Amino acid sequence: MAFPRLTVLVLLTSTWFGCATTAGSGRSWKVVSSPNFELYTDGATELARKRLRVMEQFRDIVLSFSGQTKEDEQLPLRLVAPNRIDDYITLRDDRFDAYYTTDRRGATAVFSLRDNRYASAMRVALHEYVHHLQHGPGRPAMPPWYREGMAEYLSGFKVERSGRWLIGGVQLGRAMELQQGRWLPLKQLVEDGLPDERLSMWYAQSWFLVHYLAEFEPAALRSFERRYAQSPSPRLLLNILRTDYADLESKLRAYLRRGQMMALAIQPTPVDPTLTTRPLPDEERDLLLGTIGLGGRELTKVREIAASRPPESLIQLTLVEKLEMEGETDEALRRLEDFLTLRPGVARGLAQKASLLLHQAADIESAEARRKALRRARDAALEANRANPDDVVPFEVLIQVGLSSDLLSRKNMEVSIENAQGLAPHRRDLILLEAAFLAQQGEIPAARALAYQVAESAEHPPLRNAARSLLDSLN
């Protein structure tokens, strides 16, 4: 391990998380920022600041644990943490107490800052933050059992009064499922990825396998991380352990039967992050909550909520974006033009206009008419970029225009790619766009390397398939 390891005993019957309580808070929203997080909340400011200090310390520990440097870090992660998620219809999700979501502009963890499910919600937030680091720029694509198991392992933590952290502790729900449930075959766990059924058991076994390796085979675990990144192989873990699945399962079951599990005790160097607080205007709050919460909802629900707000409200842009996602480009453009008539200078609206014009151009058959449409998309993207140079969407549109025409020079394409990836390093599709650009320039080995990276690491099947298609075309 990266740490001097002090092992402490944790009984399966112990309570790993306690409930957190604090004084009441007002309903106005604010943004509490640290170097690596932005926390949006209607809760108590001091509680929010406390949570951010924990997150910053957790980040420092995880980076050291995983062998990353501070330079490997991404942009600040956005945390949306109202006192209670259930108070906000756009955030509420009947399936989860907390969740992690990404859009074209960034990643967000959503959880309740303070309620009787705080511990579970916070653990999920930390679990997803591990993924945020795992998917960072230049990070190797690891197999699903490792990604999820390590995220479960690292997010099982407790902070003692002395400041010592216990990492990799018992997660009672997972442990009870392993004790009482029917295990998936280890070969399926390690070699086949996420199953269509019995996903909860798959997560439990992934966590337990990483827990076992971290405790009893730390050198093998580090060797696996290093060698898999260089040459992925489904049976690499068995080769390193010099065993077979039957023997490995026997050892795992013996560890579980002991009724005792171990955790890493770490005394980290305390971090003292600079924290700032600013009020969040109501309109900015509405756009934030709408964008995060409505994106996954049915179009009819998004229409209903948008219809309840004034036509100049920023929440209308959420409906425009949803229409674009659903392929309703013409209606989206009409609604966006109505909005921009009322509020012509809103940068986010200008960026969406550029994106919609790009989609329109793709459906035009005439080469001359398509080129004119691409020019309009390019000009709209440049206008949006002038309004907000820190928005990734205009750069993304410019890249797409450049790939589809000669309307951008090579230098402008390189600058657009660099800026887009800098603003949204979590997005594998931007890496694939760079691969397509390099292929156009005749730089085939570099294009092939990037396309392979996306094909191996992308979570969404359409993006993986697009990367594989590009690979096939380059061979």
Side-chain angles (χ1 to χ4, degrees), residues 414-448:
E414 291 171 344
V415 170
S416 296
I417 290 169
E418 180 181 0
N419 279 291
Q421 293 181 355
L423 290 166
H426 69 288
R427 288 182 50 184
R428 295 293 193 265
D429 60 321
L430 296 177
I431 298 175
L432 189 60
L433 290 181
E434 181 182 7
F437 169 67
L438 291 173
Q440 281 190 351
Q441 301 301 312
E443 300 180 26
I444 303 304
R448 188 181 291 119

Side-chain angles (χ1 to χ4, degrees), residues 33-90:
S33 300
S34 67
N36 298 286
F37 300 93
E38 292 179 343
L39 191 149
Y40 296 74
T41 186
D42 64 351
T45 300
E46 284 308 311
L47 181 58
R49 293 168 70 91
K50 178 181 177 181
R51 298 289 182 258
L52 280 192
R53 291 189 187 99
V54 172
M55 293 293 289
E56 286 286 352
Q57 188 74 78
F58 181 76
R59 166 192 170 273
D60 204 56
I61 290 172
V62 171
L63 284 177
S64 299
F65 184 93
S66 59
Q68 298 186 55
T69 66
K70 305 300 187 294
E71 289 71 28
D72 292 326
E73 178 62 290
Q74 301 188 54
L75 296 175
L77 174 63
R78 184 169 52 190
L79 309 171
V80 175
N83 259 336
R84 285 171 43 84
I85 290 177
D86 289 348
D87 289 345
Y88 294 90
I89 187 173
T90 61

Side-chain angles (χ1 to χ4, degrees), residues 9-246:
L9 186 65
V10 182
L11 299 180
L12 281 177
T13 56
S14 67
T15 301
W16 193 249
F17 287 98
C19 295
T21 60
T22 187
S25 62
R27 302 297 291 176
S28 61
W29 278 69
K30 76 277 298 181
V31 185
V32 184
S33 300
S34 67
N36 298 286
F37 300 93
E38 292 179 343
L39 191 149
Y40 296 74
T41 186
D42 64 351
T45 300
E46 284 308 311
L47 181 58
R49 293 168 70 91
K50 178 181 177 181
R51 298 289 182 258
L52 280 192
R53 291 189 187 99
V54 172
M55 293 293 289
E56 286 286 352
Q57 188 74 78
F58 181 76
R59 166 192 170 273
D60 204 56
I61 290 172
V62 171
L63 284 177
S64 299
F65 184 93
S66 59
Q68 298 186 55
T69 66
K70 305 300 187 294
E71 289 71 28
D72 292 326
E73 178 62 290
Q74 301 188 54
L75 296 175
L77 174 63
R78 184 169 52 190
L79 309 171
V80 175
N83 259 336
R84 285 171 43 84
I85 290 177
D86 289 348
D87 289 345
Y88 294 90
I89 187 173
T90 61
L91 295 181
R92 187 167 61 232
D93 191 313
D94 295 335
R95 299 167 298 168
F96 305 114
D97 289 339
Y99 54 92
Y100 178 84
T101 181
T102 60
D103 59 29
R104 63 204 305 186
R105 289 180 170 89
T108 305
V110 182
F111 57 98
S112 294
L113 189 72
R114 175 197 176 205
D115 66 9
N116 60 4
R117 297 175 301 187
Y118 158 76
S120 172
M122 191 66 183
R123 185 184 66 77
V124 171
L126 297 180
H127 173 111
E128 299 301 346
Y129 181 61
V130 176
H131 288 326
H132 188 64
L133 295 176
Q134 290 173 337
H135 297 161
R139 302 306 301 166
M142 301 300 288
W145 71 264
Y146 172 91
R147 294 199 308 267
E148 297 299 338
M150 186 60 75
E152 287 283 282
Y153 176 78
L154 291 175
S155 61
F157 81 102
K158 181 180 180 181
V159 183
E160 298 181 326
R161 290 185 180 275
S162 65
R164 188 173 69 168
W165 282 58
L166 303 181
I167 294 290
V170 176
Q171 297 193 22
L172 293 179
R174 300 295 190 203
M176 291 178 64
E177 186 163 10
L178 290 168
Q179 288 179 320
Q180 300 172 6
R182 179 170 57 88
W183 287 23
L184 296 166
L186 274 187
K187 185 177 187 296
Q188 177 183 346
L189 177 80
V190 174
E191 298 186 18
D192 294 350
L194 276 75
D196 294 328
E197 299 178 347
R198 303 183 64 204
L199 193 58
S200 181
M201 177 59 78
W202 184 90
Y203 269 92
Q205 287 183 246
S206 296
W207 161 71
F208 194 54
L209 177 56
V210 170
H211 203 296
Y212 171 84
L213 294 172
E215 178 58 35
F216 296 105
E217 300 285 355
L221 180 59
R222 290 302 179 218
S223 177
F224 173 81
E225 293 166 345
R226 183 176 60 257
R227 291 172 58 182
Y228 192 93
Q230 297 169 349
S231 180
S233 169
R235 295 186 63 84
L236 178 61
L237 181 63
L238 291 186
N239 294 339
I240 292 174
L241 293 173
R242 297 182 179 180
T243 187
D244 56 33
Y245 286 120

Side-chain angles (χ1 to χ4, degrees), residues 275-297:
L275 303 178
T276 61
T277 304
R278 68 173 176 87
L280 186 68
D282 290 349
E283 189 174 57
E284 188 179 341
R285 175 204 63 198
D286 287 351
L287 179 60
L288 172 73
L289 302 187
T291 301
I292 292 170
L294 296 182
R297 294 181 180 271

